[in-house]
Amino acid sequence: MSAEPAGRPSDPVPGAVPEVVFDADTHVAPASFTDLSPLLSPYWRDYALGAALRVDPVQAGAYPPAMVEGPDPHDVATLRAAVLDPPAPGGGRVTTAVLTCTTAFDVSRNHAFEAALCRAVNTWVAQRFLDHEPRARGSVAVPLGDPAAAVAEIEHWADDPRFVQVLLPVRGHDLRWGHPVFRPVLAAAAAAGLVVTLHAWGRVGSAPTTTGFTHTYLQDYLSHGQVAQSQLVSLVAEGALGALPGLRVTVAECGSS
């Protein structure tokens, strides 16, 4: 067997600057609830005000110390300065950034409010970033408590090519995402050509490990890798990937990077 010739066209050139830099998980967040209030109906604005709901654009408590320097970008100028315009690792510049709104909200069990909030978040991403920055792409946030409302949210944005994925948290329910109750949500994503991305965090109501709840922050933080594995096993073992051959799934954070 002869050795392959050196310097093939497909080989990377040492020191070369890559032409395309793709940031698959660029966090953005409203600076406060007032960013979203104009996008809610008067009823839900009163609901949020009466419940004193808030958002946390920093989420410093969700990460180990010193990992978070400040709030995520909340406008296009900050996004450009923080992510799009500076040199990326390797020397190039980001040519496409997939925006992930990972703002921490107060937990609400009201599925109708959750649907309204997701619509407001997705509209905020479109108006604040996608309308002004061609390098940005969006993620469709969907309500977790009502699969039919999640399908409706996916279908609402399906014809907007700037949205490229559906965002699902790895910690959502006692039922995993492969369970048949969520099959319409996955089917809607596949039909729209959107990737389903399982992102770290979410609701903390279900135990993250096979032996129950954790007792320290470090355990909870590291358990996301186990939760992601269980979600992927569910998608395979409960037949979601077999039933939906066009479904594409990725995992963001959770130790996979």
Side-chain angles (χ1 to χ4, degrees):
M1 180 182 295
S2 60
E4 292 184 328
R8 293 172 297 161
S10 59
D11 289 342
V13 178
V17 176
E19 296 181 359
V20 176
V21 178
F22 189 88
D23 190 328
D25 186 18
T26 300
H27 289 194
V28 296
S32 69
F33 212 98
T34 57
D35 283 356
L36 300 177
S37 293
L39 304 174
L40 294 169
S41 70
Y43 177 87
W44 290 122
R45 284 200 297 270
D46 290 344
Y47 175 92
L49 180 64
L53 298 181
R54 60 179 183 83
V55 302
D56 178 6
V58 180
Q59 300 184 89
Y63 297 95
M67 279 192 66
V68 180
E69 297 180 354
D72 292 326
H74 69 278
D75 57 37
V76 72
T78 308
L79 175 67
R80 288 169 178 161
V83 178
L84 296 176
D85 293 340
R93 280 182 167 79
V94 174
T95 55
T96 303
V98 180
L99 308 184
T100 306
C101 183
T102 59
T103 302
F105 294 93
D106 290 317
V107 173
S108 173
R109 300 297 179 184
N110 187 320
H111 61 85
F113 173 69
E114 188 178 27
L117 185 60
C118 286
R119 177 62 57 85
V121 166
N122 295 329
T123 303
W124 177 80
V125 169
Q127 294 180 353
R128 184 64 62 93
F129 299 101
L130 306 186
D131 287 350
H132 306 283
E133 177 49 69
R135 291 171 290 181
R137 297 293 182 270
S139 305
V140 181
V142 296
L144 307 181
D146 184 351
V151 170
E153 191 64 20
I154 293 170
E155 293 177 344
H156 178 82
W157 299 102
D159 293 331
D160 188 336
R162 302 175 302 176
F163 284 89
V164 296
Q165 67 181 8
V166 173
L167 203 60
L168 297 179
V170 293
R171 297 178 68 168
H173 298 273
D174 288 327
L175 301 177
R176 301 304 183 196
W177 294 120
H179 191 280
V181 73
F182 299 119
R183 193 68 49 83
V185 179
L186 303 178
L194 299 173
V195 176
V196 170
T197 295
L198 308 179
H199 196 285
W201 304 104
R203 281 200 173 106
V204 294
S206 57
T209 76
T210 56
T211 55
F213 284 93
T214 57
H215 303 286
T216 66
Y217 172 80
L218 180 60
Q219 290 174 299
D220 194 72
Y221 183 82
L222 295 177
S223 69
H224 280 80
Q226 300 175 52
V227 179
Q229 292 177 50
S230 70
Q231 294 285 14
L232 295 176
V233 169
S234 170
L235 291 170
V236 175
E238 300 195 64
L241 295 179
L244 302 168
L247 178 65
R248 295 173 294 161
V249 179
T250 66
V251 176
E253 298 189 21
C254 300
S256 60
S257 59

